[in-house]
Amino acid sequence: MLLFKGKKIPHSDYIPIIIIGLLLYKLINNPSIVLSEMKGILKYITSLFAYIIWGFAIAYFLNPLMVLLEKKLKIRRIFSISIIYVVFIATLGILITFITPAITSSVKQLANDIPDYIETTEAKINETIEKLKSYDKYGVETYIKNNLERFSSKINNFVNVPVNFLLTSTISLTSYILKFLIGLIISIYILADKEKIIKGAKKLTYALLNKKTAFNLISNLKKSNYIFSKYMFGKALDSLIIGILCLILLSVFRVKFALLFSLIVGVTNMIPYVGPFVGAIPAVVVTLFINPIQAIWVAIIIFLLQQFDGWYLGPKIIGDQVGVSPLLIITAIIVGGGMFGASGMFLGVPVFTVIKAFVDEYVEKKLKAKGFSFD
């Protein structure tokens, strides 16, 4: 109800309904425009609070380690923070010192070698065509020659996709370094004052909302944190193990660029169902140019690793508590990737998992209130 000089404005109760109706009409009539505007607003907010977001992300990642140290070793906050940041920075230092130069070198070498691989492949195809001339009765030779150039061009572009992506990512990485370093400093203060921040957020929630709504919101946020953290940490550990196993097996078979391929497999493994296939493509295709027989072994190794991950390792680490149907996972990847790109593909599944948990809980309450049971 809106008041003006102590008097109710006529039909003011309908204003929120009219506004919501107009917004819904715009969404239904122009969904692409609305989604584009939402994406732009979120991108602006993200860029505006980039350092704070980085700080909270790092603090969220390191918080379980801090809690573990404080509970198990009974040490003070200042010492637990010191330990986890020393370990964290030391780990980053090892990665930057030993692994990053090797990956960068592999990317440069791969970019330089691709023209030679394609030239060698074309020579082998031409040699095969010459051998088949005596058996050509149906114009196969002419067909192959006519399409050889187009085929080579497509293969060249296809192989360059992951290489260009890695080179672009390497260049754009420098823009994230400053955000990460400032975020690292902010995360220290967030962890140090964690209880105060949580208490302040709770007080604000109870001040703005009624008691029941505030209690339900805080309860749901706790549940969301449990589901989200369990999935993200579990999937990260799972992908790390798969990446290391892939590196060991590819090194045993003396596959060139084994470290680079294993990194791609480990990172893309964070995306369920789709990720393993995406990660396998660059490794198989590039190895195909170097050694076709070895490419078959690469495909078999990655396939077996993904089966091991899907049937044993993933369920063992993550468990069934955050499990969702394949259809929902694919939907989450498509929607998240379409709206927010690569980050949306990574975060789409845990976000959809949280939403699904809330929807299931709501449906169960409604069914129970109506006396229905589907057990």
Side-chain angles (χ1 to χ4, degrees):
M1 180 177 69
L2 297 179
L3 300 176
F4 179 73
K5 293 183 179 181
K7 296 181 180 180
K8 179 183 176 182
I9 299 176
H11 309 296
S12 61
D13 293 338
Y14 296 103
I15 292 177
I17 300 175
I18 294 172
I19 294 173
I20 294 172
L22 290 172
L23 291 174
L24 289 174
Y25 171 78
K26 187 176 181 182
L27 176 60
I28 295 170
N29 199 36
N30 301 289
S32 59
I33 296 176
V34 174
L35 290 175
S36 177
E37 290 177 355
M38 289 174 59
K39 186 177 179 181
I41 292 171
L42 287 173
K43 188 176 181 180
Y44 174 74
I45 294 173
T46 303
S47 62
L48 194 63
F49 296 96
Y51 301 116
I52 304 296
I53 292 172
W54 272 91
F56 270 98
I58 296 171
Y60 187 81
F61 177 76
L62 297 178
N63 179 62
L65 299 176
M66 185 184 75
V67 173
L68 182 65
L69 288 175
E70 292 178 352
K71 284 185 176 181
K72 296 292 184 181
L73 302 180
K74 306 295 182 182
I75 59 178
R76 293 174 59 189
R77 175 65 51 87
I78 186 172
F79 296 115
S80 63
I81 289 178
S82 300
I83 292 171
I84 61 173
Y85 276 90
V86 167
V87 173
F88 183 57
I89 294 172
T91 304
L92 288 178
I94 292 172
L95 292 175
I96 293 172
T97 304
F98 296 101
I99 297 180
T100 303
I103 293 173
T104 304
S105 176
S106 296
V107 172
K108 289 181 180 179
Q109 185 179 352
L110 180 58
N112 292 330
D113 291 348
I114 278 178
D116 295 333
Y117 295 151
I118 294 176
E119 186 178 343
T120 303
T121 303
E122 289 180 354
K124 289 181 179 179
I125 293 175
N126 288 326
E127 182 182 346
T128 304
I129 291 173
E130 292 297 325
K131 290 180 180 180
L132 292 174
K133 274 186 177 181
S134 58
Y135 302 99
D136 187 18
K137 297 180 180 179
Y138 304 101
V140 175
E141 177 194 351
T142 305
Y143 176 81
I144 294 176
K145 281 186 175 180
N146 291 337
N147 289 276
L148 178 59
E149 185 176 348
R150 185 174 61 181
F151 171 77
S152 300
S153 176
K154 287 183 177 181
I155 289 295
N156 191 11
N157 293 333
F158 179 78
V159 174
N160 275 321
V161 167
V163 177
N164 290 336
F165 171 76
L166 288 170
L167 288 174
T168 304
S169 300
T170 304
I171 294 171
S172 63
L173 182 63
T174 55
S175 64
Y176 290 102
I177 293 177
L178 181 61
K179 294 178 181 178
F180 175 80
L181 292 176
I182 296 178
L184 188 67
I185 296 172
I186 293 173
S187 68
I188 297 174
Y189 293 99
I190 292 173
L191 288 177
D193 296 329
K194 184 182 72 170
E195 287 77 12
K196 291 181 180 179
I197 294 172
I198 295 173
K199 185 179 179 180
K202 285 183 178 180
K203 289 171 66 177
L204 182 62
T205 303
Y206 277 104
L208 296 176
L209 304 174
N210 62 64
K211 187 176 180 180
K212 183 179 179 181
T213 304
F215 177 80
N216 289 334
L217 177 60
I218 292 172
S219 176
N220 288 333
L221 286 175
K222 288 181 179 178
K223 185 182 296 184
S224 301
N225 174 61
Y226 172 77
I227 296 173
F228 192 85
S229 61
K230 184 176 178 64
Y231 179 87
M232 291 302 296
F233 289 114
K235 196 62 181 173
L237 178 60
D238 170 67
S239 298
L240 176 64
I241 294 173
I242 290 297
I244 293 173
L245 289 176
C246 184
L247 176 61
I248 293 172
L249 292 173
L250 292 183
S251 300
V252 168
F253 282 84
R254 300 182 181 278
V255 176
K256 198 172 183 180
F257 309 117
L259 179 60
L260 178 61
F261 295 153
S262 300
L263 176 65
I264 295 174
V265 168
V267 171
T268 56
N269 192 69
M270 287 289 293
I271 306 173
Y273 290 97
V274 180
F277 296 101
V278 174
I281 290 173
V284 174
V285 171
V286 173
T287 309
L288 187 64
F289 284 106
I290 303 172
N291 188 331
I293 301 299
Q294 201 174 49
I296 297 174
W297 283 109
V298 171
I300 293 173
I301 288 171
I302 297 178
F303 175 77
L304 292 177
L305 279 175
Q306 300 308 331
Q307 294 303 306
F308 167 71
D309 181 32
W311 289 100
Y312 179 77
L313 186 62
K316 195 76 174 177
I317 294 177
I318 302 174
D320 299 325
Q321 297 183 31
V322 295
V324 292
S325 67
L327 178 61
L328 185 60
I329 289 176
I330 294 171
T331 303
I333 293 170
I334 293 173
V335 174
M339 294 183 67
F340 304 106
S343 59
M345 295 180 71
F346 282 109
L347 299 176
V349 175
V351 170
F352 267 62
T353 304
V354 170
I355 295 173
K356 179 181 179 296
F358 291 151
V359 172
D360 289 345
E361 183 180 355
Y362 175 79
V363 170
E364 288 298 324
K365 285 182 179 179
K366 287 295 182 182
L367 290 175
K368 187 176 181 180
K370 294 181 178 181
F372 289 101
S373 178
F374 292 89
D375 295 334

